[in-house]
Amino acid sequence: MFANSRTVGSAQTGPHDKLAELVNRHRDAVFRKPLAAYSAAAFEAAIAAWRDAGAAPLIIDAGCGVGESTLRLATQFPDHFVIGIDQSESRIVRGKDWWDGVWPENFVWVRADLVDFWRQLFDAGIRPARHYILYPNPWPKIGQLARRWHAHAVFPTVVALGGVLECRSNWDIYIGEFALAVEWLSGVRPAVEAWSPEDAGVAPITPFERKYLASGHGLHRCVVTLPPAALPLASSG
């Protein structure tokens, strides 16, 4: 039952024809969504853990799910500190008996609204060294464009945070759109490529990555090194 994931199905055959319009609108607009009630405390707890650990170069694991990617990133980058963020408390606190190694000490998991957390990072002047968005929900229907991260109102803030930004997906169109949105907002062209953990000599980093590989899916990634505050924001709050 493990290798039974269906490939992404969509009527789209290339980048959405409304993507540029939406990205430009978000770049120029004031984003006024109120913070969730629990966001301030969640952010403060995560940043306190980072500072207590010495405020090492920061890695953001956005949408970490059950947290495997957070543990693997913390192990891969022992001189960094990783904050794994997910909106689902049940996923974060779920048992970790699948992890058979020594737990790294340079990480924390936090339940938070990603939209809020990104904006709070920006407003606090905290810039990650590395930033991962791994296998987000692709929202592949044509009418779902605005639900994709690169077409969301918060995406100019994500790009403005700077650092090495990496997104992975099993849908090549998602990665192509992500790269276009990053370039339009920053002027920096990302690298887009097929991704194979085996060819790179590393283990799959998330349960989705492992399942997609076992199901025979093609994997794709976008990687770009961005300067902090790559563009002026009308407002981040």
Side-chain angles (χ1 to χ4, degrees), residues 111-190:
R111 176 187 174 249
D113 183 321
L114 265 175
V115 173
D116 291 348
F117 203 94
W118 279 323
R119 294 156 66 205
Q120 289 169 292
L121 278 174
F122 186 86
D123 289 344
I126 298 171
R127 303 294 183 257
R130 307 186 72 89
H131 194 164
Y132 292 85
I133 303 175
L134 301 172
Y135 303 97
N137 188 328
W139 297 106
K141 294 181 180 180
I142 290 177
Q144 294 176 329
L145 172 64
R147 292 175 175 256
R148 302 171 198 166
W149 280 131
H150 47 271
H152 193 284
V154 79
F155 199 64
T157 302
V158 174
V159 172
L161 286 172
V164 178
L165 175 62
E166 179 168 345
C167 181
R168 299 182 195 173
S169 177
N170 64 330
W171 189 29
D172 59 340
I173 290 175
Y174 192 99
I175 292 300
E177 288 185 348
F178 191 97
L180 285 173
V182 168
E183 185 172 3
W184 292 335
L185 290 168
S186 69
V188 181
R189 177 170 293 182

Side-chain angles (χ1 to χ4, degrees), residues 3-194:
N4 63 354
S5 180
R6 292 183 296 176
T7 56
V8 178
S10 177
Q12 270 189 244
T13 57
H16 200 291
D17 60 5
K18 299 294 186 183
L19 179 63
E21 176 186 339
L22 205 52
V23 171
N24 288 334
R25 183 192 312 162
H26 294 326
R27 179 189 58 199
D28 299 332
V30 177
F31 187 25
R32 299 188 183 278
K33 174 183 174 292
L35 297 178
Y38 65 91
S39 289
F43 180 77
E44 289 171 6
I47 298 306
W50 168 57
R51 288 181 171 144
D52 288 347
L58 184 62
I59 296 176
I60 298 298
D61 182 16
C64 66
V66 298
E68 179 180 352
S69 50
T70 307
L71 292 172
R72 293 197 180 278
L73 289 168
T75 301
Q76 181 181 354
F77 297 98
D79 57 343
H80 289 57
F81 189 86
V82 186
I83 300 178
I85 307 151
D86 202 272
Q87 194 165 16
S88 170
E89 185 173 12
S90 65
R91 283 196 290 262
I92 291 174
V93 303
R94 194 175 301 165
K96 312 297 181 188
D97 54 357
W98 39 261
W99 182 261
D100 57 5
V102 176
W103 278 48
E105 298 182 354
N106 57 322
F107 80 95
V108 67
W109 288 306
V110 60
R111 176 187 174 249
D113 183 321
L114 265 175
V115 173
D116 291 348
F117 203 94
W118 279 323
R119 294 156 66 205
Q120 289 169 292
L121 278 174
F122 186 86
D123 289 344
I126 298 171
R127 303 294 183 257
R130 307 186 72 89
H131 194 164
Y132 292 85
I133 303 175
L134 301 172
Y135 303 97
N137 188 328
W139 297 106
K141 294 181 180 180
I142 290 177
Q144 294 176 329
L145 172 64
R147 292 175 175 256
R148 302 171 198 166
W149 280 131
H150 47 271
H152 193 284
V154 79
F155 199 64
T157 302
V158 174
V159 172
L161 286 172
V164 178
L165 175 62
E166 179 168 345
C167 181
R168 299 182 195 173
S169 177
N170 64 330
W171 189 29
D172 59 340
I173 290 175
Y174 192 99
I175 292 300
E177 288 185 348
F178 191 97
L180 285 173
V182 168
E183 185 172 3
W184 292 335
L185 290 168
S186 69
V188 181
R189 177 170 293 182
V192 174
E193 61 186 6

